[in-house]
Every structure is written in structure tokens, then in C-alpha cells.
Amino acid sequence: MDNFRMVVFVALILVFCLNASFAEFIFARGPDHSKGLPCPGNTYKTCLPGFRCEEGSGKNGCVRSFRKIAFEAYTTNTVGHFPNGKVLIFPKVSVNDGQGYNAKTGVFKAPVAGLYRFTVHVCSASSKHMVVAIMKGGKQIAVTTIFTEPHSGCGSHSTMARVAENESVHVEARWSDSRLQSDIYRWPSFSGFLMYRYD
């Protein structure tokens, strides 16, 4: 009898785990919202910034809000040589409303078509050049050069661009001997936000 109960118990656990995995596979959509903001009137449901709470089909969900798309990412310890064409990755994210920026690749993918404004802020090593461009897909849409001596220096550049839905924007080095500097006193960054949406 004890063996029978044990078999039933193990079977119930397996059924529960399989059902949970299946449900998770079916209903998992997009990013993890568990660390998001509480939904109004709901003490257990949360959604990430850039999403709104919405109820449907008897269950709550998080729906992307296209009115709130903005990101800012930076680095505090990225230094060294950046050859022409190398993508700059800003791994520390302070804002990512709409979840368009990927901190692992350094690429922003527009959740919706519209007019966006992008800003890059970089610092060059002492007496070295740092040449960077904002790239939309494979096309350069803005470029700037930072050079100071005898110490390192920083500079910023902004641009506006019409970006299609799912089109990518990133920052890359545009000179063969660009030298980036970042530390506790210098935080290179990449940011952008949706100015208005194209209907």
C-alpha cells in the first residue's frame, strides 16, 4: 500500500510539472514581467515599464504601450581599442521602457515605426581619437570625433531619424584606431526615445 501511494504521489508530481511546463510554453510571451510595476487595482500582477496592464480572456496580460518607448544604457569599465565597424555595447541599463534595447548586443530594435531621437556620449583615451557613428541598419546617420590632449575627454552627439518597426539602431566605431575610455568618472552612454509614432 505504501508503494502504491508513493507511485501515485510521484505520478501526480510528474503531471503537475508537465502541465506547468506546457502552460509556461503556451502562455509565455515576451520579456519577464515579474520585476515590473504593480498593475492598478491588482496586488499580484506586474508589468515592466513601457507596457500597460490589460485584462482579456479571463486573465491579466501585459501589452506593449507604444506611447512609452525610451532607453538609456551606459558603461563604466569598457576601455581599449575599437577598430572600424566594431559595435559599442553599453551593458548597464537605467531605462528600457518598451524593452527595445538589448544590453547584450548594444542594439536598439524599434518596437514601432516613428520618429526617434538618439544620443551617444563617449570618451576618448588620453591623446587618442574616438570616432563613433550612430548606425540605422547598415547606414550611418550621425558621426562625431572626440580628441583631447594631454588628458582624456568626452563628447556627445544627437540626431533624429525615421525608424521602421523592428529596424535596428546601434553605435559603432568608425576609425581604425579609436580608443574608448570609461571609469568611475566617465560613463559613455547610448540613449533614445520615440518622439512620435507613424500611423
Side-chain angles (χ1 to χ4, degrees):
M1 189 65 181
D2 289 338
N3 289 337
F4 176 76
R5 288 178 180 175
M6 180 62 69
V7 170
V8 171
F9 178 72
V10 171
L12 288 174
I13 290 177
L14 289 173
V15 169
F16 175 78
C17 291
L18 287 173
N19 286 339
S21 299
F22 179 74
E24 183 179 1
F25 173 76
I26 294 298
F27 295 110
R29 295 177 297 174
D32 179 14
H33 292 277
S34 62
K35 295 183 180 180
L37 302 174
C39 294
N42 193 327
T43 58
Y44 63 89
K45 180 65 182 178
T46 60
C47 288
L48 290 169
F51 289 77
R52 69 177 188 274
C53 304
E54 185 173 282
E55 294 190 10
S57 303
K59 59 172 51 178
N60 293 315
C62 298
V63 179
R64 193 183 302 276
S65 174
F66 293 120
R67 295 172 298 175
K68 301 177 181 178
I69 298 174
F71 73 96
E72 183 166 25
Y74 63 97
T75 181
T76 60
N77 59 2
T78 303
V79 297
H81 175 237
F82 280 76
N84 184 41
K86 184 172 182 178
V87 177
L88 277 69
I89 297 176
F90 303 87
K92 299 180 181 295
V93 179
S94 55
V95 175
N96 198 12
D97 291 357
Q99 307 302 301
Y101 178 75
N102 187 324
K104 294 182 179 180
T105 63
V107 175
F108 170 77
K109 182 177 287 188
V112 63
L115 184 69
Y116 289 79
R117 185 169 183 85
F118 300 98
T119 300
V120 59
H121 175 78
V122 292
C123 303
S124 62
S126 300
S127 303
K128 298 292 183 179
H129 289 82
M130 186 67 204
V131 184
V132 294
I134 299 175
M135 307 291 292
K136 187 181 72 167
K139 181 180 179 181
Q140 177 177 293
I141 59 174
V143 64
T144 189
T145 300
I146 297 91
F147 175 82
T148 59
E149 59 180 0
H151 306 293
S152 63
C154 301
S156 301
H157 190 56
S158 297
T159 190
M160 291 185 291
R162 297 181 178 92
V163 184
E165 183 177 352
N166 292 322
E167 192 170 20
S168 297
V169 179
H170 66 273
V171 177
E172 68 179 48
R174 297 297 282 172
W175 189 55
S176 60
D177 195 28
S178 290
R179 301 279 176 167
L180 182 70
Q181 177 69 37
S182 66
D183 51 42
I184 60 173
Y185 304 108
R186 303 166 185 82
W187 290 7
S189 63
F190 178 37
S191 62
F193 63 89
L194 175 67
M195 299 182 68
Y196 55 81
R197 181 183 177 183
Y198 293 144
D199 296 325

